[in-house]
Amino acid sequence: MFLQFKSQVTQALTSALEANGLEVTYLSLEESVHADIASSVAFRLAPVCKKSPADIASMLAASINVPENGLIDRVETKGPYLNFYINQTFLDRTVSAIRAQGHDYASQTGRGKVILEHTSANPNGPLHVGHIRNSIIGDTLGRILEKAGYEVETQYYINDMGRQIAIVSWALEHFDFDTEKKSDHAIADIYIQANRVLNDEPDKKAEIDELIQRIEDGDPDVAERFKHAVDLAMEGIKYTLGRMNIHHDSFAWESTYVRNSDVSTTVSRIKDTGRTVVDDGALMVDLSDYGFEKKLVILRSDGTSLYTTRDLAYHLWKAGHCDRMIDVLGADHKLISGQLKAVLNALGENEPEIVIFEFVSLPEGSMSTRRGKFISTDELLDQINTQALVEVEKRRPDTSDDFKQEVANFVGIGAIRYDVVKVSPEKSTVFDWREALDFEKQGAPFIQYSHARACSILANAEGSGVKLADLEHHISVLVEDQEIELIKHLARLTAVIDTAAVDLKPHHLATYAREVADSFNQFYRYVPVLNAEVSLRDSRLVLVDCARNVLSIVLDTLGLHAPKSM
RNA sequence: GGGCUCGUGGCUUAGCCAGGAUAUAGCGCCGGGCUUCUAACCCGGAUGUCGGGGGUUCGAAUCCCUCCGGGCCCGCCA
């Protein structure tokens, strides 16, 4: 509803400008504490009109026609500013729309197909706390895009043939694999050992090189061994992702593109652009006209392909299967993804949109699976669950053990997901246990609690015989500030989903979720529902149901559980 | 050395792309509120050279230049 309001304001203001023979490229509309929408366009017109901004604002305000049956209540001037305010129709339609559309409120359709790649961690160990930033941003983006009307396919690109996997495969034959442990953790153990040995005895590296050569040549025995290694790691990784409510629609295996000759086709196509040169036996692409000083190697001097080469083949495949390609990648991929886009562009293909997130490091330095320096996601999830249980015990001592465990589970996962997604991706962070396990801050539990409170009111009402579906609502009786503020917040959902989907910024939704919860809690504190006189009570119950619905949509879109009770 | 990126109260953080009215919120700190729908809540207060310096502009946290500090990257790893 907010978007409709905004477009009506745009129209009204544009006509007023025309009426005065004025033209402007940008209306300077902004949300503001002073108005529902404010415009500072008068400043920009001052030089042209040779009048003061305040005079221009008054002049425009005088010629603004507030349309009948619209959403604008009035326009006021405050010095040079033009302040637009919403009317009761806006509030009424917002509530009616939410009520009528239920969980589909703010859902759009028909915007095309998206292939969204995220996580794609190398299968050489468990996910660590750096990887989950990728997973959580990616999963949340997927949910936002779906809500915004895209058909979304999330993909995990499995690196099943690089040097790292050769080392894991080699390690499986030289060290004891601990079958008691979760498989991805056991893989990390031997991977770390192998790296240590390879570091101490460099001559063993020849064995790894041989494996890489054989996998590239399509040796079925080596392929089988690699697959076994990858499966062990992936089994554990998928389980961990599942714990966080994250699931991929499909898994793309890197080796596929070598075996089906997409890689060699890709190399030929790149050669055809005339950009390739051979240097020391290696095939390189010149991208200097795209601003990349150094050439990009796409074939080693022994003729084998590199990660980049296979990634190019993968992206060429994706380009032919969707309308939007989106990759969520760590900051270390900034350069390489730029080069990848340049090559695709040179081939005349669509380029992916890249969402880059900065690193999560430990207080003692950056994380590394190879060196065994990382905190695993499983460990974090276990710790958060334990801590969450303590919190539930403290707050709901009289409930059953099952209830406590269930609450601890969704509160813990919610806290992690929300903590990660609320921060804009370009901020590098340092992992801190105390911070991660802190339940005092206003995060996911705050939003989930608001939802539970709304559910509780509705349940009590239904318990005393009220039929929610039959209630009549009269917007004119909702006159408290908290009621109006709440409705205005609810009205913004569509706009928030839309900008988050366009800009690929999931943290906007996180901020919005907090604001809605905040707004509902204030309403809850100051506006009695069940004890109000009947017609007032009914209208408020409808509003509570709308708030519950929006909170549940928002929680769902953030991948968080929306509890009826906690 | 070069490139990219971040720097906002004690800590964490929004706003920056598309410059405007008292700079967003949380934690922590001080004080207040449970005989009313779940207090994982609500209300009030203190705390800010928006990293430093220049510039553009009627107006800069936001744009430009420069310096400082953190992170990431810089051809046959992924």
Side-chain angles (χ1 to χ4, degrees), chain A residues 387-398:
Chain A
Q387 188 56 37
L389 200 51
V390 171
E391 299 294 331
V392 183
E393 198 72 57
K394 199 156 64 188
R395 296 163 210 263
R396 302 299 301 276
D398 300 329

Side-chain angles (χ1 to χ4, degrees), chain A residues 13 16 20 22 39 41-43 45 49 51-65 75-83:
Chain A
L13 186 51
N20 287 280
L22 295 167
S39 173
V41 74
F43 282 108
L45 292 164
C49 300
K51 281 203 253 183
S52 79
D55 288 346
I56 296 167
S58 313
M59 179 183 82
L60 289 173
S63 53
I64 281 174
N65 248 323
V75 57
E76 292 175 352
T77 60
K78 184 74 187 276
Y81 297 95
L82 283 162
N83 291 334

